[in-house]
Structures are given as structure tokens and as C-alpha cells.
Amino acid sequence: MTLIFLAFTVALAPPTDLKAYDAPDDGGGTINIEWQLSPDDAVLTNYEIYRSDNGVDFEKINFIGNGKNFIQDETEDNKQYYYKVAAVQDTIRAFSGISTPVKSSAQWIDRNKLNIFIALAIFGFIILYYIYHARKGKELYIRKIAGLQAIDDAVGRATEMGKPILYTTGIGYIEDIATIASLNIIGEVAKKCAQYNTRFINPHSDPIVYTVAREIVKEAYSSVGRPDAFDPDSVYFVTDSQFAYAAAVDGIMVREKPATNFLIGWFRAESLIMAETGASTGAIQIAGTDQVSQLPFFVTACDFTLIGEELYAASAYISKEPLLMGGIKGEDFSKLIIGIALIAASIIGLLTKFPVLNLFK
Amino acid sequence: MKFVERMLKIDRRIIYLILAIVVILPMLFNVPLRVRVMEPVQKLFNAVEAIPPNKAMIINFEYDPRDVPELQPMALSILRHAFTRRIKILVLSLYVQPLGMAQSALTQITEEFNKNAKTNADSILYGRDYVFLGWQPPPLVPILGMGESIANVYKTDYYGNKTDTLPLMKRIKNYRNVGLLVSLSSSDVPRWWIEYAQNRFGLKVGAGVTAVSGSEFYSYLQTGQFSGLMVGMKGAAEYEEMIASELHIKARRKASESLPSLTYAHLVMIAFIIIGNIGYFIKGRKK
Amino acid sequence: MKRTLPLILVFIVGIMGIIPFLIPHPAVQKTDDFFRNDIMKIVAAFALVLGLGSLIRVHFDKIKRHRENWQYSWVLLLTFAVTSIIGLFGGVAGTGPLPTHISTFHFDIQSIYLNVEVPLGSTMFALLAFLMASAAYRAFRARSPEATLLLLSAFVVMIGILPFGDQISHRLPSFAQWIMDVPNVAAQRGILLGVALGMLATALKILLGIERNWLGGGGE
Amino acid sequence: MNISFDPWVWIGALLTLAIFSFLYRDNPFYKVAEHIFVGVSNGYAVTFYYHNILVPTLFNPLFRGRLILIIPFIIGALYFTRFIPKISWLVRIPIGILMGYGIGASIPATIQAYIIKQVQGTILTPYNFQRWHAGSTGIIWSAILFLGVICVVSYFYFSREQKGILKVTSRIGIFFVMIGFGAAFGYTVMARVSLLIGRLQFILGTWLGVIK
């Protein structure tokens, strides 16, 4: 009898050197448990994890498939726990030793994220430094950006043809940087429309973007001394449903036949639906977005496309605000640093064993 | 010259019309197009073949009517494959909408097999050869819970039978008795199976996804987290090709029948691009 | 006041948005949670009223002045009213006080969504098949080296992913995939790096109140 | 030929055709469909915002005495000041809060996803070479990728005229961009045509029943 019992207990080798420790860089409430696989791992049903708060009476709290040697346990902070792990084959269990007592706790800093904040510090400093310089009235050069030269002619053309101008900021929210960049450009376009007395159509798919745009356009009209010319119905909300919005904009394009369509902001699949419809009406189209997935379609269907960062550059450039221009110089310097970092890291990566990739987790 | 001019500005409606014709016509004649099977689908087929006799396969239906054209053919092929090889099947969804898709696929294929079954042995019986577990919210509960006990997560099946009374469920206790899970989805769900079921219980996972979402999933195949992958109608067609050539099943091949439409659509686009360029070059020379 | 108060707010709230990334401690995470899941959601929900206000005003105005196509504004306003009423009083699952079915015919909000909005949406989406064709025909002309490259790579990939491309050469599909994996990724990365820096710069300018365009006009 | 008798199928089919008719030219059917689309989508939005956000996250907890929720309620209400000229500037407060938080949160996310991750994937190291599963050619591909990224970035260098070396690199950069765009365009065709086939199967199959 005892022999058989013994036979069973020795039949299965237990998992060895069990480690239980507080999960690092987390908000507490978690303990990591690690062990060396049982030599019989292949034949196991699974591993069972047992927990105790006094080191004597354990209760099964979790289990994990064989081949695995790590699990996390949800715990109460600052309460002591003991762990042990059993290798299980059907009804047979072989227990590991009991872990040293361990408490879970919350950390104040997530070290894995530090690199992000170092990067933020570096780039942030550079950009702000150049903005500060620009404030001191240093003249800054920015190369020509095709789409921008086009804007003036576009409005002029519309005036001659006596046709309106359509401007859509896409389906982004107010916190999307592309939307904000677009809102910088919309003001300038509206100003020109006000000067030339060209009709301005601006449908929206987000109520907040609509509210802000309305203010900006209104401001643009009064800034050139024609507040009376502002038509409150020229800036309006349509719907927040992606394709319903596209359907509505398509409708405007074919009915109002704008001379120029501005498709500048944050776009998804509706980008080509609008761009191609606009092209079919013979309008000049100026597009711009930072959505890489949509750029191919704008580039094919539109006359001018502000690609990615060009959009932001444009929004700074067009306003001629030295402060905004300063930012661009800062971005350029940051690019140099990224380039250098890439090359340096590659040299290290190629010549040494140093795990350079871990710096960029 | 006149002709060249025309080559340069063909009315878009003509393009649309021709495109519509070449897409619709093949749909009326349903002539399947043969394809060479690419690695991702070959892998999935092999993964199904490799399921040991004592283990079952889980099919996770996770698509709504919108994705039927792309994903339903995959479902049918997988079911046909499994039933021919006598692989036991568990069917489930994490959300409620796809249940309808699953039901219709199961009815169609089981009838198809039982139509020409003579003995009880070679027919497909509910509870013995397959079980429709149905739906058990929230999604993470079944994904994790089935690692310990499937019957505990799905106390009753889709039809309300007590799960543990079904003969098949007496043998299939948890993921350890599951050789492969195939997730047919247009959303993120295949990723969840990897993140939770695979990372924790080493469950083998394969997937069938729509062409729109396809590109996001290839990397999981490269890293080996997916045992195989079908993308869009082409992927579905390749699987149909496999069961036709390897298992000699004579059945409708809906995806393969859509391939001609797909192909001709591409060819029409290419043709018009070429026409446009020819016109452009001739005109260029004239100047 | 009218401009400074909002600017100060943006700065503070912006910082509140940043730190939860660095600090896992519950003290921080819980506040962030409340901010994101309660305050943000609710404030955003209220905004819809502004939009709908505009929508309704514009269309009533159209009807009043008999602007071009004013009849269709009735269609819009009516479908809007009906859907809202069914949705608000019929309940999400059709379990509200308002009855949402006549014998076996259900017209609860979900059926409306599935049978009206979904078909309309997926058809608009499907239009792209046609629009891509006309766009490609018009734009893919070998005018310049750039345009030629655009055209060629589109070509290779279009043929390469087809069964028939494989019949031309077994190499073609893998070449198409290579274009997707190497030059395509290089282009995307390059653009993304620029975009990221642009975003960062703009974000900082907004938080620090250097870029205050969004305030629009009115009151110092 | 067994045509459907489900009214919803008919509605869906007619709307589908109305949208497709737009490809020929703008017409009354499309106009109706378009206006229905906008109307219904807004109606659905109202329902969704009310039943799935305001009721569960604001009203219910508030009436259960979670008074802190009065704060977002008031902030949200500030939107309406837009209609009261005297205090209309208050609308900037809810807008500022949404925008500020969104932008703040986006900063670390952007740096991680768009800068650090991209740089990591580009660095030339043995590990990145294997990632291609392309054997010995992996190193060449990584090298091309590396070159491409540097050149594309140089195209976005605004504060110097594109002369000399910068002219060369930015030209190469734009070549990469064009190849990438072309490929992405070509790759998308299949997905879009699949969607079209889906709609046609609905028309010809579910509705008209001319195809099985």
C-alpha cells in the first residue's frame, strides 16, 4: 500500500526553484511567479498554483498549461503571501518547495517608459528652443511647398468662375493634430474667400470641430473687415457617420460644382470617395493628411497633396507666424538627431554584442 | 489623332460599366477559377490534417452578414475538411450576431454529408461529431475558462442541452483536448485567441480574415503564432482548391467562383491604365 | 480672462493626459480612469447637440427659403425624427415603452441600423472599387519618373496578388510581397517619423498656448 | 429566380441601387438615399449617445448619489453658452478640456508608436535581419529599408533648400514614397472589389435570387 503510494509520489518530478516576487513597474496588486519546468513536463496535464497567507494551509488559485513556467497572481497590496506550484498529471500532483514570503506593491515610476520621456525631453527642448529663438525675430527659411503656392490661385480661380470653394477637415476629432493643422489653414482660405467675396462651403463630421471651425471662419471674415459677408450657414455639421458624411460631401461636390476642393485633415477610407468625385466635377483639388494609409489615394486623385509633415509645415508657413515657423526648424534639427541615432545604433548593433534594440522598446 | 484623344479621355462611366459587367457576368455563371495554393493556406490545411484523432477542433464564427461573401466559404470548406477526416468539431461565437452564420453553415454542411450517408456510422450526428456551444459573454470568459473546463463555461449548448451529457463533451474537457482553433473574423478576435488562449495554454490558432483587415495579420503568421491563415476571397478559394484536390470533394466553390470577378476587375483596371499610357505616349511623340 | 482661462485649462489637462503613461500607481491611474471614462465621455456626448442644432437649422432654413433641393431636407428631417423617436423610446434592444414591431415585422433601432445604415454604408464603401478604377486610369500615366514608379509598383502588386500573376511567374507574388514589405515600409516609416515630430511640435505649441488659433475670434 | 419577400431586404436593396446610381450621375434616387443616410445615422447617434453613454455613465450613477458627476454635467452644459453671446466664450472650456487631454495623451503615444518603435525596426542589427525570414538576403533588405527611411526623412527637411546632397537624398526619398504609394494602391484593389462583390451578391442573391 505505502509502496504504491510512494510509487505515485516519486512517479512525477516536481517543478523546481520557485520564485515569487512583486511585479515591477506596475500599479500593484500583482505578484509574478516563476519556476523551472518539471522534467516530466511533456506528460503533464498542467501546473497548478497554490497560495497561502500563513505558509501552512494553501488553496489552489490558478493553473496553466504545461510548457509554461511563469504566471501572474492578483493580490492585495502589502499583504504577505506564500506560493507553491504543483506538476499535475490527471490525479497525481508533485509539489514544488514553498516560496519565500512576498508582498505586492505599487510603483511610482514605470521604468520601461522612461525612454519615451527622455525622447520627449530631448525633442521637446529642441523644438521649444527654436521657437524661443524665432520669437527674438530671427529670420527663418522654409522651402517652397507645392500645395501652398496653389491655394492663392485656387481662390482666385474660383472667383473668376463665380463658383464656391469647398473645404472639408475630414472625420477627425479636435484633438487630432491633423485636424488642428487643417483648422490653421482654413482660417487663411476663409480670409481669401472673404477678400475675393467667394462663397465658402465647410461641412463637418464632428460637432466640436464644427464649433471651432465656425469661430475661426467668422474671425477670418471680420479680420479682413467683412464680418457682414460671413454666412452662418456656410459652416455646418452633417453627421458623425463616416460614409454618410462622404455621401453628403459627394452630393455637395456634384450639385454646387465648387471650383476648388480642399480635403485637408484626418481621413479614412472615405478619402478616395470624395477625392475622385471631386475630380470628376473638374475641380482643382488640394489634399493633405497625416494618415499614411490614405495618402496614396490623395496623391492619385488630387492635383496637390500635402504629404504627412508637409501638412503641419503648411499650417505654420501659411500663417507666417514666426513662432510657428520656429517649430519647424526644431523639427528639422530633431530629424538630424534621429538620423544620427539610427546610424550610431546600427554601428553598435553591427559591431558589438550590446543589445541596442532594448533601448527602443 | 482623334482616336488618340479618345484613348486619353475615356468617360469614367464607360470604365464603370465595363467594370460592372466583368464583375457581374462571372457571378451568373459560377465557373470556379483554379488557383495555386499559397503557403499561408497550405499551412492551415496541414494544421487541420495534423489534428490527432483524440483531439477536437474549435471553429470560432465571428462575422456578421457583411462579411459572408469572404468568410462563409472559408467556414464551409473547413467544416467539409473536418467532417471528411472525421475530426470532431466545437462551434462557438464570442458575440451574439455571428450565431446565425454558424447555424446556417452547420445545417448546410451536415445535410450535405448526411444526404448520402447510409449507416449511422458514416453520418454526422450532433453531440457525437460536433457540438454547437453557442455564445457566452463576456468574450474573455470562454477564451480563458475553456483552458480549465469547456463544460463549466458552456453549461448548456446553443440548443439548451446540458453540455456534460453530450457524448463528445465527455472526451473534450479543455484546450488540452483541442488540436486547433480556427477563428473566422473581420475584427480583432483572432488576436485575442493568441494573446490569451495561446500564450497561456499553448493552444494552436489559425485564422480566416477579410481582405480589408488582412495585411495586419500576416506578421502573426511569420512569427508562427498563427498555424495558418486565409485572407479574403483568394484565401478562401485556395482552401476550396485544397479540399477539392486533396479530399476530392465535389461541392460548390463559392469563393473560387468569385475569383473570376476579382481577376477581371483587376485586368480591366490594368487594361485602362495601359490604354491611357499608350495614348499618352503617341500624343507625346506627335508634339 | 476669456482667453487665458481656457489656455491655462488646456495646459493643466494636457499634463493630466501625459503623466498616466509614466506613473502606474493607482492614485494616478484611478483619477485618469475617472477622467477618461466619465468626464470625457459625458462632455463629448453633450457636444452632439451643437452639431444637431446646426444640422436642423440649416435644413429648416433650406425649406423656408425654398433653396435648391429643399424637398430633400424634409426626407432628412423626417428620417432623423423617426429614427430618434424609435431609438429613444423604443430602447436599444427594442424593449422600451414604444412598441417596435407589427406582428413579425420588427422596426427597432437595431433593425433600422442593420437594414438601412449598414447597406448604405457598405455600398458607399463598395463604390471605391469603381472610383479606384477611374482614378488609376486618370492618374497612372508615365508623365515623370515619380509617376512612372507609382504606376509600375501598382502594376506589379495588382498582378502579383492575383492567381493569374502566379501563372506568369511563381516569382511575381513574392516580388509583390517584397515591394509591400521593403520599399513600402521604408516610405511609411520615413513619413511617420516626420509626422511624429510635427505632431509633437504642434502638441507642445497648443499646450503652451503658443498656438491658440482654436480659440477663434472674440473677447480678449 | 426566387425573389425575397422580406421588406427589409427590399429597403436595403433599393437603397443600395440608389447609391450605385450615383456612378452614372447625381439623381433624385441618390439624393433621397443620401438624405435618408444622414438622417438615420444622426438618429442612431442620438440613440447611442443617450442609451449607451448618458444613461449608464451619467444619469443612473448621478441618481444613485454619485454627485461628483455633476462636474462633467456642468462642463458639458457649457456647450450651450454658445447660443448666449454674452458668455459664449465659456464654450472654450469643454472644448479646451477635450482637446488638451486628447493632445496630452497623444504625446507619449506618438513618441512610442511613431518614433521609438519605427527607429527600433529600422536599426541594422542581426536580430532585425532574421525578422524577414529571408535567410542571407535579410541583411540586404534591412539595408535598403534603412537607406529608404533616411532618404524619405530627408525629403521632409524644410529649413534648407533642396540642393547638393539633400537634393539627391530627397529625390531618392520621393522615389521610395511613390513606390510605396503605388503598391498600397494596388494592394487595396482586391479588398475593395471584394466589397463590391459582396453588395452584388446581396442584390442578385438575397434580393432577386437569380444567383444561389
Side-chain angles (χ1 to χ4, degrees):
Chain A
M1 183 56 205
T2 45
L3 272 176
I4 300 163
F5 179 69
L6 275 172
F8 268 112
T9 44
V10 294
L12 210 58
T16 50
D17 56 40
L18 177 72
K19 283 192 203 63
Y21 55 91
D22 174 31
D25 304 307
D26 72 345
T30 312
I31 288 178
N32 292 358
I33 304 144
E34 266 179 57
W35 58 91
Q36 290 298 324
L37 293 179
S38 151
D40 305 330
D41 183 69
V43 302
L44 294 182
T45 318
N46 56 21
Y47 290 97
E48 290 177 348
I49 292 81
Y50 291 76
R51 184 173 77 184
S52 155
D53 39 25
N54 54 18
V56 185
D57 33 32
F58 282 83
E59 55 161 343
K60 176 187 170 193
I61 49 142
N62 210 335
F63 63 94
I64 188 165
N66 60 337
K68 304 271 184 281
N69 63 346
F70 174 83
I71 195 168
Q72 292 193 311
D73 179 33
E74 285 180 17
T75 56
E76 254 173 75
D77 280 354
N78 309 319
K79 181 159 176 269
Q80 219 163 49
Y81 293 99
Y82 300 80
Y83 290 92
K84 63 182 180 179
V85 175
V88 185
Q89 184 187 31
D90 304 326
T91 57
I92 316 166
R93 285 172 174 64
F95 285 96
S96 68
I98 294 171
S99 74
T100 49
V102 53
K103 291 178 180 170
S104 71
S105 67
Q107 282 75 43
W108 279 102
I109 295 289
D110 180 347
R111 287 164 296 165
N112 307 321
K113 298 270 177 62
L114 274 178
N115 56 358
I116 295 175
F117 284 82
I118 293 165
L120 173 56
I122 296 171
F123 296 127
F125 171 78
I126 295 169
I127 290 163
L128 294 177
Y129 170 84
Y130 278 98
I131 292 176
Y132 168 77
H133 256 257
R135 173 172 276 156
K136 297 230 239 61
K138 238 161 110 262
E139 198 39 56
L140 289 172
Y141 170 87
I142 294 188
R143 72 163 162 84
K144 287 193 165 35
I145 299 172
L148 287 178
Q149 323 314 104
I151 293 182
D152 270 324
D153 332 344
V155 182
R157 182 168 174 273
T159 325
E160 290 161 18
M161 302 167 75
K163 287 180 173 180
I165 281 185
L166 173 71
Y167 193 115
T168 164
T169 58
I171 60 170
Y173 302 113
I174 189 68
E175 63 263 33
D176 291 316
I177 305 292
T179 312
I180 293 166
S182 178
L183 287 173
N184 285 342
I185 299 172
I186 201 174
E188 298 304 315
V189 176
K191 267 184 204 152
K192 294 200 166 50
C193 290
Q195 287 161 346
Y196 297 116
N197 194 11
T198 309
R199 197 162 136 245
F200 183 72
I201 309 173
N202 181 215
H204 283 278
S205 82
D206 178 72
I208 299 171
V209 177
Y210 147 74
T211 315
V212 175
R214 196 172 176 283
E215 288 310 306
I216 292 175
V217 173
K218 200 159 145 224
E219 169 71 3
Y221 272 76
S222 43
S223 73
V224 296
R226 311 207 51 219
D228 50 307
F230 171 67
D231 166 12
D233 287 355
S234 63
V235 184
Y236 57 97
F237 172 84
V238 182
T239 168
D240 64 354
S241 148
Q242 179 188 13
F243 289 112
Y245 178 72
V249 173
D250 275 9
I252 300 164
M253 283 174 165
V254 291
R255 279 158 225 156
E256 308 279 357
K257 297 244 180 329
T260 310
N261 300 327
F262 290 88
L263 306 141
I264 299 178
W266 195 96
F267 293 86
R268 294 282 298 279
E270 77 284 355
S271 62
L272 188 69
I273 300 180
M274 299 193 279
E276 186 56 16
T277 310
S280 72
T281 66
I284 294 277
Q285 303 204 94
I286 302 173
T289 185
D290 58 4
Q291 291 299 298
V292 181
S293 57
Q294 298 311 319
L295 280 165
F297 306 115
F298 276 149
V299 168
T300 27
C302 298
D303 304 84
F304 302 94
T305 307
L306 299 166
I307 299 172
E309 196 186 0
E310 284 182 331
L311 170 60
Y312 310 131
S315 71
Y317 187 86
I318 196 168
S319 63
K320 297 285 183 300
E321 263 269 2
L323 294 181
L324 304 186
M325 312 263 281
I328 295 179
K329 191 96 182 78
E331 291 166 36
D332 280 354
F333 193 79
S334 311
K335 279 169 214 146
L336 278 181
I337 293 192
I338 289 182
I340 294 163
L342 265 174
I343 294 164
S346 300
I347 293 169
I348 300 170
L350 288 173
L351 302 183
T352 70
K353 290 266 158 293
F354 179 74
V356 64
L357 289 183
N358 300 348
L359 296 177
F360 302 90
K361 266 214 233 61
Chain B
M1 186 59 196
K2 204 84 209 70
F3 181 67
V4 177
E5 284 297 334
R6 234 180 262 118
M7 287 174 91
L8 278 170
K9 17 183 110 59
I10 300 169
D11 185 340
R12 22 205 293 286
R13 300 198 187 94
I14 297 175
I15 302 178
Y16 297 161
L17 182 66
I18 296 176
L19 192 66
I21 293 170
V22 301
V23 174
I24 291 174
L25 277 188
M27 294 176 74
L28 300 176
F29 299 122
N30 4 332
V31 196
L33 184 74
R34 307 294 300 271
V35 287
R36 186 168 71 100
V37 178
M38 299 291 161
E39 197 195 359
V41 174
Q42 181 73 51
K43 276 185 175 163
L44 184 60
F45 184 89
N46 298 345
V48 175
E49 289 282 299
I51 298 174
N54 62 340
K55 291 193 177 188
M57 167 160 72
I58 298 181
I59 302 180
N60 163 225
F61 283 72
E62 222 53 72
Y63 56 92
D64 56 26
R66 254 177 293 183
D67 306 311
V68 163
E70 289 179 85
L71 298 186
Q72 192 85 343
M74 299 180 183
L76 301 182
S77 305
I78 292 273
L79 283 171
R80 289 194 178 107
H81 186 182
F83 286 151
T84 353
R85 289 283 188 242
R86 288 293 173 206
I87 298 165
K88 308 300 181 193
I89 296 287
L90 305 182
V91 172
L92 59 88
S93 303
L94 301 179
Y95 292 93
V96 73
Q97 298 88 345
L99 291 170
M101 310 294 118
Q103 181 57 73
S104 69
L106 283 171
T107 344
Q108 178 183 339
I109 298 299
T110 43
E111 281 172 3
E112 188 178 302
F113 272 76
N114 293 340
K115 196 165 67 259
N116 38 30
K118 286 155 207 64
T119 68
N120 171 301
D122 61 7
S123 49
I124 302 296
L125 300 182
Y126 186 81
R128 183 190 76 183
D129 302 302
Y130 72 103
V131 170
F132 188 7
L133 291 171
W135 162 69
Q136 193 54 254
L140 272 191
V141 167
I143 294 182
L144 289 175
M146 289 194 293
E148 184 162 39
S149 160
I150 298 174
N152 283 356
V153 179
Y154 296 91
K155 295 241 168 358
T156 64
D157 68 5
Y158 180 67
Y159 309 105
N161 313 317
K162 294 189 99 315
T163 321
D164 46 20
T165 62
L166 300 167
L168 177 56
M169 299 313 288
K170 291 193 165 62
R171 281 177 33 222
I172 310 302
K173 295 248 176 290
N174 57 28
Y175 286 144
R176 289 190 51 77
N177 315 110
V178 175
L180 177 71
L181 178 141
V182 177
S183 178
L184 305 169
S185 162
S186 51
S187 66
D188 243 6
V189 171
R191 235 177 242 123
W192 300 351
W193 289 110
I194 288 178
E195 273 164 33
Y196 300 102
Q198 182 169 77
N199 291 351
R200 191 148 156 211
F201 305 105
L203 178 69
K204 284 199 174 65
V205 178
V209 300
T210 55
V212 174
S213 62
S215 47
E216 308 158 25
F217 286 102
Y218 273 112
S219 57
Y220 289 87
L221 189 70
Q222 282 198 341
T223 55
Q225 289 161 290
F226 277 154
S227 312
L229 178 64
M230 296 179 282
V231 175
M233 279 171 184
K234 182 150 176 277
E238 289 173 22
Y239 208 98
E240 288 173 344
E241 184 65 38
M242 286 302 287
I243 60 172
S245 55
E246 301 286 314
L247 311 178
H248 314 292
I249 296 180
K250 307 258 171 300
R252 267 300 286 286
R253 304 170 58 176
K254 266 189 148 296
S256 313
E257 288 165 13
S258 306
L259 276 190
S261 304
L262 269 182
T263 312
Y264 300 147
H266 281 77
L267 293 182
V268 165
M269 287 199 195
I270 291 169
F272 276 107
I273 296 174
I274 294 174
I275 295 172
N277 281 283
I278 295 173
Y280 178 75
F281 275 114
I282 299 172
K283 197 145 180 293
R285 289 234 180 64
K286 286 251 162 47
K287 286 216 184 85
Chain C
M1 171 62 178
K2 291 180 177 178
R3 295 174 80 84
T4 14
L5 178 63
L7 288 175
I8 295 168
L9 251 171
V10 168
F11 179 75
I12 299 169
V13 179
I15 301 300
M16 287 175 64
I18 298 178
I19 40 179
F21 272 81
L22 184 61
I23 303 176
H25 199 282
V28 174
Q29 292 299 330
K30 286 214 168 61
T31 6
D32 183 55
D33 226 51
F34 171 68
F35 207 73
R36 204 166 350 92
N37 295 332
D38 296 304
I39 298 193
M40 286 300 161
K41 258 200 200 159
I42 295 167
V43 172
F46 273 88
L48 186 66
V49 181
L50 291 182
L52 296 176
S54 152
L55 181 79
I56 294 168
R57 203 187 57 252
V58 167
H59 283 277
F60 269 124
D61 185 75
K62 241 182 167 181
I63 294 168
K64 205 162 77 250
R65 304 198 183 159
H66 281 266
R67 290 237 182 95
E68 213 184 335
N69 297 316
W70 60 276
Q71 306 87 335
Y72 298 98
S73 296
W74 277 120
V75 179
L76 190 154
L77 293 170
L78 284 178
T79 46
F80 171 60
V82 171
T83 326
S84 314
I85 291 165
I86 292 177
L88 289 177
F89 304 108
V92 184
T95 51
L98 184 80
T100 54
H101 63 87
I102 301 165
S103 76
T104 61
F105 178 68
H106 287 262
F107 52 89
D108 55 285
I109 191 75
Q110 284 311 329
S111 343
I112 294 179
Y113 177 75
L114 282 178
N115 299 294
V116 176
E117 194 166 348
V118 167
L120 283 166
S122 18
T123 313
M124 284 303 290
F125 205 173
L127 285 184
L128 279 168
F130 295 101
L131 299 175
M132 287 184 91
S134 52
Y137 165 69
R138 213 183 52 254
F140 288 176
R141 303 252 166 104
R143 291 193 189 84
S144 63
E146 286 84 352
T148 318
L149 284 173
L150 187 75
L151 158 78
L152 288 180
S153 71
F155 240 79
V156 173
V157 173
M158 274 168 91
I159 302 172
I161 59 177
L162 284 177
F164 126 105
D166 174 65
Q167 285 148 22
I168 296 173
S169 151
H170 285 358
R171 288 251 170 69
L172 205 52
S174 38
F175 181 54
Q177 195 55 48
W178 180 85
I179 297 182
M180 290 303 290
D181 292 344
V182 180
N184 176 45
V185 170
Q188 294 201 0
R189 283 218 177 116
I191 296 173
L192 278 181
L193 284 170
V195 165
L197 292 169
M199 283 185 164
L200 183 57
T202 319
L204 289 171
K205 283 184 250 170
I206 298 251
L207 294 190
L208 299 173
I210 296 165
E211 156 92 75
R212 48 183 69 181
N213 197 324
W214 63 275
L215 291 168
E220 276 317 307
Chain D
M1 182 87 183
N2 45 359
I3 197 162
S4 162
F5 291 111
D6 177 344
W8 278 128
V9 171
W10 276 80
I11 293 171
L14 294 177
L15 292 172
T16 303
L17 294 178
I19 296 288
F20 276 132
S21 72
F22 182 72
L23 289 169
Y24 176 64
R25 70 146 67 100
D26 188 29
N27 63 70
F29 300 109
Y30 177 76
K31 287 180 191 156
V32 171
E34 172 203 325
H35 286 79
I36 291 178
F37 200 175
V38 174
V40 169
S41 61
N42 277 309
Y44 187 75
V46 170
T47 313
F48 178 84
Y49 277 108
Y50 180 75
H51 283 299
N52 297 14
I53 295 182
L54 288 183
V55 170
T57 52
L58 178 61
F59 298 148
N60 290 348
L62 198 57
F63 298 144
R64 272 194 257 95
R66 194 148 174 254
L67 293 176
I68 189 159
L69 289 176
I70 291 175
I71 298 169
F73 182 82
I74 293 170
I75 300 175
L78 285 179
Y79 279 121
F80 303 110
T81 62
R82 220 209 79 198
F83 304 107
I84 314 164
K86 270 206 154 338
I87 52 166
S88 63
W89 65 274
L90 284 170
V91 77
R92 293 167 181 167
I93 288 174
I95 294 174
I97 288 179
L98 281 186
M99 191 175 67
Y101 182 83
I103 287 175
S106 76
I107 288 178
T110 309
I111 295 180
Q112 180 170 33
Y114 288 6
I115 299 183
I116 297 187
K117 278 263 164 269
Q118 306 299 330
V119 169
Q120 183 197 33
T122 312
I123 298 171
L124 298 173
T125 70
Y127 176 82
N128 279 352
F129 302 157
Q130 282 132 30
R131 205 193 33 196
W132 298 106
H133 298 274
S136 52
T137 50
I139 185 165
I140 306 164
W141 294 14
S142 300
I144 298 173
L145 183 73
F146 183 86
L147 179 81
V149 172
I150 300 257
C151 290
V152 174
V153 169
S154 78
Y155 169 81
F156 291 101
Y157 199 91
F158 296 103
S159 55
R160 180 173 279 106
E161 218 172 322
Q162 289 185 341
K163 283 210 242 81
I165 177 72
L166 191 58
K167 183 170 185 197
V168 182
T169 53
S170 54
R171 194 80 199 284
I172 300 173
I174 206 67
F175 284 168
F176 268 92
V177 170
M178 286 303 157
I179 295 175
F181 285 176
F185 191 104
Y187 194 83
T188 320
V189 175
M190 183 169 281
R192 301 295 180 253
V193 177
S194 307
L195 296 169
L196 173 60
I197 293 175
R199 290 322 292 160
L200 292 172
Q201 285 184 353
F202 171 71
I203 291 291
L204 300 171
T206 319
W207 182 44
L208 296 177
V210 291
I211 59 168
K212 275 193 271 20

